[in-house]
Amino acid sequence: MAQKTYQETINKNLERVDKLVEDSVTLAAEGYPLFSWLEISPIDSCNRKCVFCPRSDAEVAPNQNMIMPKMLYEKLAQELKEISYSGTVMLAGYGEPLLSSQIISMTEAFSRVCNTEITTNGDPLTPKVISRLMEAGASKLILSLYDGPQQVEKFSAMFAEAGAPSSFYVFRDRWYTAEENYGVKLTNRSGTVTIGNQRPVDKTQKCYYPHYSMMIDWNGNVYLCPQDWNRKMIAGNLLYSTLVEVWTSTTLRKYRKSLARGQRDLSPCSKCNADGTLHGLQHVNAWNKYFGGATGKNEGQHE
């Protein structure tokens, strides 16, 4: 029963995200598709050390109380406004976003422009914090519950006290054992995690992450996707470049063409076992059309 329960939660979340990603495929004037999912890391620190997360290893991801400066997230919000962005900003990334002292201000900045969601372990939440996030314009809170079923009752009461509608939050049951993959869609986070029943790395597995999304760190560095916990391959920095400049950069174009062919030879993809084709099919097709078929006649199709 537990296996069925958490898998249903995973499937429901994947369906929800897929709709957000695929319903907002917007083409730039030049013909290429814009990103429809931006994951932003407000802080490089977390109060938990989940065994399936690189944050549990201080040599891989030490806690650093570094937060995204206001100047940067306001710059990003303004750029999104200028391109009439219709996608989603997810505040999550490499840490627990609600630990950032700027989370309310950051939420306000992005929610004025687009759908803005927050993924949290719920530990910093109180009825007051929930109310402030609603007032700031957050579209939804995604709570990953790691301690047990009793958390559902606890947080349900908290949201009720804050006057939050059920549509404002999602509970993800993640309190399971290693045999049940901890209730998550387990990946090796580009070779930084080995625990659990990990699928082997398949260097012929296609991946669509860079076709529809960008991963933005607290300091403005842009990475291929949230799986890249080594954080060594930087596609650009948004303190010095615009979102569109990085999105259309030579680096990201190279990875898109390679991954659409099912070639994971480039780092960090060569060590990654994530599926990568769960979202973004329409973006892949749009990129292939823009590239003039350079990635192959049948690219972008699931196999």
Side-chain angles (χ1 to χ4, degrees):
M1 182 60 70
Q3 175 77 14
K4 180 180 178 181
T5 301
Y6 88 77
Q7 191 59 54
E8 285 181 349
T9 301
I10 290 175
N11 291 340
K12 186 176 181 180
N13 185 66
L14 289 175
E15 291 172 3
R16 191 186 71 81
V17 173
D18 194 61
K19 182 174 177 58
L20 290 173
V21 169
E22 301 290 25
D23 280 1
S24 55
V25 180
T26 302
L27 298 182
E30 295 80 2
Y32 60 83
L34 290 171
F35 43 85
S36 62
W37 188 270
L38 291 180
E39 183 161 347
I40 297 177
S41 191
I43 188 170
D44 199 26
S45 181
C46 187
N47 61 305
R48 290 192 176 232
K49 293 184 179 295
C50 301
V51 295
F52 52 82
C53 175
R55 188 64 66 181
S56 62
D57 186 343
E59 293 187 6
V60 175
N63 274 341
Q64 304 178 93
N65 191 31
M66 309 299 290
I67 64 174
M68 180 172 285
K70 185 175 182 179
M71 172 272 293
L72 177 55
Y73 62 76
E74 288 188 339
K75 170 183 180 289
L76 300 182
Q78 179 60 33
E79 290 178 15
L80 293 176
K81 181 179 179 180
E82 290 172 358
I83 64 172
S84 301
Y85 182 58
S86 60
T88 293
V89 164
M90 171 60 76
L91 302 180
Y94 299 115
E96 166 50 53
L98 297 188
L99 295 180
S100 170
S101 60
Q102 298 290 317
I103 192 63
I104 301 298
S105 174
M106 184 181 291
T107 301
E108 288 176 336
F110 289 115
S111 65
R112 296 190 191 105
V113 180
C114 63
N115 180 59
T116 302
E117 302 188 355
I118 302 172
T119 296
T120 173
N121 60 36
D123 292 344
L125 280 180
T126 64
K128 182 177 180 180
V129 171
I130 293 171
S131 296
R132 293 187 68 193
L133 289 170
M134 287 195 296
E135 293 168 359
S139 305
K140 197 177 294 289
L141 296 189
I142 315 298
L143 271 71
S144 298
L145 308 181
Y146 301 112
D147 297 340
Q150 72 278 2
Q151 287 187 290
V152 173
E153 182 177 353
K154 169 189 172 182
F155 285 109
S156 293
M158 191 180 295
F159 279 99
E161 183 178 343
S166 59
S167 59
F168 182 65
Y169 56 91
V170 172
F171 293 154
R172 300 195 296 191
D173 47 326
R174 293 190 161 178
W175 50 72
Y176 300 97
T177 64
E179 289 71 26
E180 298 160 318
N181 287 337
Y182 310 100
V184 304
K185 194 164 185 62
L186 195 65
T187 71
N188 69 359
R189 301 302 180 97
S190 296
T192 60
V193 172
T194 59
I195 196 167
N197 184 28
Q198 296 280 354
R199 60 186 286 179
V201 174
D202 180 359
K203 292 188 178 182
T204 66
Q205 170 70 49
K206 297 178 183 180
C207 181
Y208 302 159
Y209 272 116
H211 294 81
Y212 71 90
S213 68
M214 287 194 289
M215 175 69 219
I216 304 170
D217 209 353
W218 68 272
N219 59 2
N221 282 344
V222 177
Y223 304 103
L224 284 178
C225 72
Q227 302 294 338
D228 180 15
W229 275 76
N230 285 300
R231 293 191 272 186
K232 294 180 179 178
M233 204 299 293
I234 302 172
N237 185 283
L238 296 172
L239 285 171
Y240 312 104
S241 303
T242 67
L243 285 162
V244 171
E245 285 172 343
V246 176
W247 182 244
T248 57
S249 65
T250 300
T251 297
L252 286 186
R253 290 182 184 225
K254 176 177 67 175
Y255 275 85
R256 287 183 191 115
K257 291 182 178 180
S258 178
L259 291 172
R261 295 189 188 104
Q263 297 174 346
R264 294 198 181 193
D265 300 320
L266 300 172
S267 178
C269 309
S270 58
K271 295 182 179 179
C272 181
N273 69 352
D275 183 333
T277 62
L278 300 175
H279 313 298
L281 179 58
Q282 291 188 47
H283 289 75
V284 173
N285 291 335
W287 274 110
N288 289 341
K289 183 177 181 180
Y290 175 72
F291 287 140
T295 56
K297 182 178 180 180
N298 297 317
E299 291 301 327
Q301 301 299 316
H302 287 293
E303 295 181 346

